[in-house]
Amino acid sequence: MRRVLLFNNTPAPYLAPLFEELRRRSGWRLTLCFASRWNAATGWRKGEVETTASDGQTVYLDELPVPGRRWLGKTAPAVLGLLRLLSRERPDYLLIYGYTLAPQVTLLLWARLRRIPFAVIGDANIHADRAAGMRRQLKRRWLGWIVRRAAVIPTIGKANREFWLSYGARPEDLATAPFSVDNAALASGAAQSEEQAATVRARWGLSCAVVFLSVGRLIPRKNLGALIRAFRSVDGVEMGLVIVGTGEERPELERLAAGDPRIHFAGGVAPADLPRWYALSDALVLLSRDEPWGLVVNEAMACGLAILAHRHCGEIGRASCRERV
């Protein structure tokens, strides 16, 4: 049985189903290894995503017993814990999400020293690759080293594929592995939530309005300030804007909304509850300057919403829309 170690920084709601399918169908002895169980920067709430160890094992580096952890800071205990795990599990294949942090660098160097094949998965894309000067040179050397040695590089979309090609990856070493959502479950959830959604629309005075929806973290990259300003510049049209998510920009965004009764902040929403908000809305707006993918586009399309997105977001979503037509 192939012994595979899969590393990611934290569990993610859009990857948990994939990892569980790998456990069920691959025939591997799969160890899931995460740097930590949760990180505030991810945008979802603590405890919202749990990856079970139903058919293998799951390890969180920040929870491993490491002597001196209290005095070693964050990086050293993670690396020491990972090295112990590698020695114990002796994987013969590594699946590594990312390539910049200490645990990922440790895994890449371990694979090189032990001559273990590995795959590297990263969601960077060509539109967001703005490194310059010395940082650009170092990045080109490091990623060039990786692409020459990786057994395969799964790519999540066209922009991600172009990113890896720009750093010297050969087309034959790239495998298409797009992010996806459960279309049927989302559509069903939205249909079942129509009554609840209608109640909320009525309570907010949006029963006859065209409702625009934003789903995502409230951070500068999402460009929500521009969305609110654009929305408030339109008069004489019955419409509403619902913003789902939490993040550092919320106070500033609420100031921009300035009590406009058509704009509603729904706060953080668990992934399982998102279909209700898609059912409530008519169109999804995604104005991020760049996105690795923009899974909310897939989700919203599955629920029948129109899409307004920046050209660097949701490229696959637009292709899927053309195919459906």
Side-chain angles (χ1 to χ4, degrees):
M1 179 183 292
R2 167 157 274 183
R3 300 185 304 277
V4 178
L5 186 141
L6 186 156
F7 177 85
N8 201 358
N9 291 323
T10 56
Y14 55 88
L15 289 175
L18 169 63
F19 295 167
E20 288 305 310
E21 281 297 301
L22 284 176
R23 277 183 159 151
R24 282 196 294 267
R25 299 173 57 179
S26 65
W28 301 337
R29 186 183 187 280
L30 179 64
T31 299
L32 296 183
C33 179
F34 298 99
S36 62
R37 192 179 294 270
W38 178 79
N39 188 311
T42 58
W44 44 85
R45 290 174 291 187
K46 192 170 186 177
E48 195 170 286
V49 183
E50 286 294 335
T51 301
T52 64
S54 58
D55 197 16
Q57 69 178 118
T58 301
V59 176
Y60 301 95
L61 296 182
D62 63 343
E63 297 178 2
L64 292 177
V66 175
R69 174 183 290 276
R70 185 176 174 182
W71 297 279
L72 291 174
K74 291 184 177 181
T75 301
V79 170
L80 290 173
L82 181 57
L83 289 172
R84 286 185 174 184
L85 178 65
L86 289 167
S87 298
R88 185 183 76 221
E89 295 298 319
R90 293 182 296 167
D92 49 37
Y93 200 99
L94 301 178
L95 292 172
I96 309 169
Y97 279 75
Y99 45 79
T100 58
L101 302 181
Q104 294 137 335
V105 173
T106 300
L107 287 167
L108 290 165
L109 296 178
W110 176 278
R112 175 61 175 167
L113 290 171
R114 296 299 181 97
R115 300 185 181 277
I116 298 171
F118 65 90
V120 170
I121 307 167
D123 56 12
N125 68 64
I126 193 72
H127 305 304
D129 188 20
R130 303 186 183 94
M134 181 60 70
R135 184 166 175 259
R136 180 76 173 186
Q137 294 180 38
L138 292 172
K139 185 175 183 180
R140 184 162 295 282
R141 286 180 177 274
W142 177 231
L143 292 185
W145 185 90
I146 289 173
V147 300
R148 289 193 299 272
R149 291 165 175 80
V152 64
I153 299 176
T155 60
I156 64 170
K158 178 182 175 183
N160 181 233
R161 179 182 178 84
E162 291 177 354
F163 171 86
W164 285 110
L165 289 172
S166 73
Y167 284 94
R170 301 177 303 175
E172 59 267 29
D173 293 333
L174 302 178
T176 302
F179 286 160
S180 61
V181 299
D182 189 333
N183 291 341
L186 283 160
S188 175
Q192 294 173 19
S193 302
E194 286 182 357
E195 187 174 335
Q196 285 181 301
T199 300
V200 175
R201 283 182 73 128
R203 185 168 70 243
W204 286 351
L206 301 174
S207 294
C208 299
V210 175
V211 178
F212 296 92
L213 175 70
S214 170
V215 178
R217 288 177 291 166
L218 310 188
I219 57 176
R221 180 169 61 83
K222 300 293 185 177
N223 221 12
L224 290 169
L227 172 59
I228 291 174
R229 286 189 290 270
F231 181 86
R232 298 199 66 190
S233 71
V234 178
D235 294 319
V237 179
E238 194 167 359
M239 60 185 188
L241 173 61
V242 176
I243 298 174
V244 171
T246 60
E248 64 194 61
E249 269 208 315
R250 178 161 181 168
E252 173 61 17
L253 296 174
E254 289 180 329
R255 186 191 66 78
L256 285 174
D260 189 322
R262 304 172 300 165
I263 302 176
H264 302 270
F265 290 84
V269 172
D273 295 331
L274 281 175
R276 174 157 56 97
W277 298 97
Y278 291 128
L280 178 144
S281 308
D282 299 294
L284 176 82
V285 185
L286 182 62
L287 297 187
S288 303
R289 291 187 290 272
D290 54 73
E291 286 282 350
W293 182 280
L295 267 174
V296 290
V297 172
N298 299 62
E299 294 174 350
M301 288 178 64
C303 297
L305 274 68
I307 306 297
L308 289 82
H310 190 284
R311 64 190 180 90
H312 291 169
C313 305
E315 293 178 70
I316 300 301
R318 292 201 298 274
S320 299
C321 185
R322 289 196 294 271
E323 290 167 7
R324 287 172 62 184
V325 172

